[in-house]
Amino acid sequence: MIRRLLIANRGEIAVRIIRTCKEMNIETVAVYSTADKEALHVQLADYAVCIGGPRANDSYLNMKNILSAACMTACDAIHPGFGFLSENAKFARLVLQCGLIFVGPNPDVIEQMGDKNNARRCMMEAGVPVIPGSKDLLETVQDAAAMAEKIGYPVLIKASSGGGGRGMRRADCAEELADAFDTAKAEARANFGDDAVYMEKFIVEPKHVEVQLMADKHGNVVHLYERDCSCQRRNQKLLEEAPCHILKEDVREHLLRDAVRAAESVGYDSVGTIEFLLDARGEYYFMEMNTRIQVEHTISEEICGIDLIKQQIRIADGHKLAYRQEDIVCRGHAIECRINAENIKYNFAPSPGQVSFINFPLGRRVRIESAVYNDYKIPPYYDSMIAKIITYADTRLECIKRMRSALEELLIEGVETNIEFQYLLLHHPTFVGGRYDTGFMESFIKELKEDGTII
């Protein structure tokens, strides 16, 4: 039984996990870098251990120091959150070897699905639709050229060990292929220590739709419906909503069924997500599996009324799922806006610094996930996301209006943020109509530049 849990993360997700652990009567141990000495998760946890310098490699990616902290404080389990070591199979195995519980899936599954090319093969074997592309890794640019001719341009060169939009390059014609291939390999090597790449057909103007899943160690798998994550800039999500507004019911039924089938086929046993691309014809294709809790899990919680962190911990502790599929009902609509400390006038450059004043919105069905407080100093070493604003309502239009009001109340002074950018996005006719795709954000930013609104 988990009585004390170490959180191998920082920021709002660490705070989120601590809050749920308090409800479950589980003691928490926070780890922190020297830059995070005054961080909120450090103050809220029952115990806190400094694990290294401000750079992630010296602290939040330092497996030895994290495991030492867990053992030193007599923890039963480690929760990796998202990012950092959350999808690192080696770390998960080391946690188990130390006699601790890893709050996540089996390390073999992490490894299997972390290799994007291998994940494609697994999905093909399971009968889940995949994007046309290479079955094997591409060794040379000549291999890439031959495959591109076979499936047709445009194509994407993708890092096999990639994620978060890194190690991914598009080529629209043969003349662009060599540069895309070399750049993708170099970026993959720099970010993941592995320059293996594969190729997929580039789906023009797709929706990015993902299905939230829960699976236990007893073979049970359920879904919590889908999220629309198509509002992206450079493959980084900015706003998500659930459910997907334009998804036809018959397509939704098949999409959810295939997501569950995908998890079952690999023996998945935790909270996770299957990501799909949905084209203009309503055809969908498997893109990847995230073997961790995601930033946007909050909106799935809102429409289904389930605490995913609580269920993730229970699953890791060996419990059977507390829900059957028929118990999970999608009600209403939820939207999440990611609030980033960045200067949109300077190409969204990070804007670390001291928050001189902050006022979070309040009101019915408004939820805040953040680790920022008045006079908090945002360090320059980590992701620029400092808060998530989540609204829920009975209808999508009501939810949009509630988010607009929430953003009007939100004040963050001392650093630059994307609050106004998100506010304008929520008024754009394309977004309000729900028919935006992954290319929409680029055109939206172009509009703002042309009319001089804020960029």
Side-chain angles (χ1 to χ4, degrees):
M1 181 176 180
I2 298 176
R3 299 181 184 276
R4 184 176 294 171
L5 179 144
L6 181 141
I7 303 159
N9 217 296
R10 65 177 301 279
E12 56 85 16
I13 187 58
V15 172
R16 166 77 181 86
I17 295 166
I18 290 169
R19 287 171 176 158
T20 288
C21 285
K22 287 179 182 293
E23 295 176 10
M24 299 176 72
N25 293 318
I26 296 173
E27 292 184 328
T28 53
V29 176
V31 293
Y32 63 95
S33 71
T34 53
D36 273 341
K37 183 179 179 181
E38 305 299 326
L40 186 59
H41 75 287
V42 176
Q43 300 176 47
L44 294 180
D46 296 293
Y47 307 93
V49 180
C50 182
I51 53 170
R55 304 283 179 184
N57 283 334
D58 298 327
S59 50
Y60 299 108
L61 293 174
N62 190 322
M63 299 184 198
K64 179 181 177 181
N65 286 5
I66 291 171
L67 292 168
S68 296
C71 294
M72 179 181 70
T73 53
C75 286
D76 306 302
I78 293 180
H79 196 307
F82 51 67
F84 294 127
L85 296 170
S86 62
E87 293 182 285
N88 188 304
K90 178 183 177 181
F91 178 65
R93 289 193 179 98
L94 288 173
V95 171
L96 300 179
Q97 289 170 13
C98 288
L100 304 173
I101 295 170
F102 179 72
V103 184
N106 184 301
D108 292 339
V109 176
I110 297 176
E111 190 168 67
Q112 183 180 21
M113 301 311 288
D115 184 323
K116 309 304 181 188
N117 192 57
N118 184 62
R120 278 172 48 82
R121 287 199 299 267
C122 291
M123 294 304 105
M124 285 187 274
E125 292 171 3
V128 178
V130 301
I131 302 171
S134 58
K135 292 183 179 180
D136 300 307
L137 298 175
L138 302 173
E139 299 295 336
T140 67
V141 71
Q142 289 76 21
D143 293 338
M147 180 54 62
E149 288 299 321
K150 182 178 179 181
I151 65 176
Y153 288 95
V155 297
L156 275 179
I157 308 295
K158 301 179 70 174
S160 184
S161 299
R166 296 176 178 87
M168 183 187 304
R169 285 294 181 271
R170 174 180 172 179
D172 291 325
C173 59
E175 289 74 23
E176 296 177 2
L177 186 64
D179 182 63
F181 180 82
D182 293 339
T183 304
K185 285 183 76 69
E187 191 170 304
R189 188 184 308 110
N191 284 280
F192 312 111
D194 176 10
D195 69 353
V197 296
Y198 65 100
M199 180 183 292
E200 285 181 348
K201 174 76 174 175
F202 180 77
I203 307 300
V204 179
E205 299 181 345
K207 276 277 195 183
H208 181 147
V209 179
E210 58 190 32
V211 178
Q212 178 65 62
L213 299 168
M214 294 191 302
D216 62 23
K217 301 182 185 301
H218 307 277
N220 302 303
V221 183
V222 297
H223 67 76
L224 279 74
Y225 295 88
E226 82 286 348
R227 303 185 286 253
D228 188 343
C229 302
S230 304
C231 279
Q232 304 176 10
R233 175 183 173 270
R234 295 183 177 177
N235 300 306
Q236 299 293 311
K237 301 167 188 172
L238 291 172
L239 177 152
E240 305 94 355
E241 59 177 312
C244 179
H245 179 58
I246 67 160
L247 203 59
K248 294 180 180 178
E249 199 53 45
D250 60 331
V251 177
R252 173 176 286 112
E253 182 180 338
H254 287 88
L255 182 86
L256 298 176
R257 180 200 63 199
D258 280 340
V260 170
R261 178 190 298 172
E264 290 174 337
S265 70
V266 297
Y268 198 72
D269 58 351
S270 184
V271 167
T273 308
I274 301 289
E275 300 196 350
F276 294 97
L277 291 181
L278 177 74
D279 68 19
R281 300 172 300 169
E283 299 289 334
Y284 60 86
Y285 307 94
F286 169 83
M287 185 169 62
E288 64 182 12
M289 183 175 197
N290 290 294
T291 56
R292 53 174 168 79
I293 197 72
Q294 285 192 272
V295 174
E296 61 272 22
H297 74 276
T298 55
I299 52 177
S300 294
E301 291 182 327
E302 293 299 317
I303 64 171
C304 294
I306 294 173
D307 184 333
L308 281 165
I309 298 293
K310 180 179 180 180
Q311 298 309 314
Q312 188 184 26
I313 294 171
R314 282 176 49 85
I315 290 167
D317 212 9
H319 295 276
K320 288 186 178 181
L321 285 180
Y323 301 89
R324 298 168 300 173
Q325 191 61 66
E326 54 265 33
D327 300 326
I328 302 172
V329 180
C330 175
R331 292 187 176 94
H333 202 89
I335 295 174
E336 173 183 279
C337 282
R338 301 191 188 196
I339 305 304
N340 299 331
E342 58 189 15
N343 192 330
I344 61 175
K345 294 181 180 179
Y346 290 92
N347 199 29
F348 297 82
S351 177
Q354 188 160 349
V355 176
S356 57
F357 177 77
I358 188 165
N359 179 72
F360 283 126
L362 301 173
R364 185 167 174 262
R365 293 177 170 178
V366 176
R367 172 177 169 180
I368 308 298
E369 299 280 328
S370 180
V372 177
Y373 54 86
N374 283 324
D375 293 326
Y376 173 71
K377 189 173 183 179
I378 301 169
Y381 308 101
Y382 314 113
D383 188 86
S384 62
M385 187 179 73
I386 56 173
K388 301 183 305 192
I389 313 298
I390 302 101
T391 57
Y392 173 86
D394 293 334
T395 68
R396 182 173 183 268
L397 185 56
E398 286 178 306
C399 193
I400 291 173
K401 291 178 178 179
R402 185 162 287 151
M403 181 61 81
R404 291 171 182 168
S405 296
L407 293 180
E408 288 173 358
E409 290 185 36
L410 177 61
L411 295 174
I412 301 177
E413 297 180 354
V415 296
E416 298 291 334
T417 71
N418 65 338
I419 296 172
E420 187 176 2
F421 179 85
Q422 293 277 26
Y423 185 74
L424 292 173
L425 171 62
L426 286 158
H427 286 79
H428 196 284
T430 300
F431 174 80
V432 175
R435 298 196 171 275
Y436 59 94
D437 52 52
T438 54
F440 164 63
M441 193 61 66
E442 185 177 336
S443 62
F444 174 58
I445 292 172
K446 184 179 179 182
E447 286 179 28
L448 295 179
K449 287 181 178 179
E450 288 177 348
D451 64 22
T453 304
I454 55 174
I455 296 182

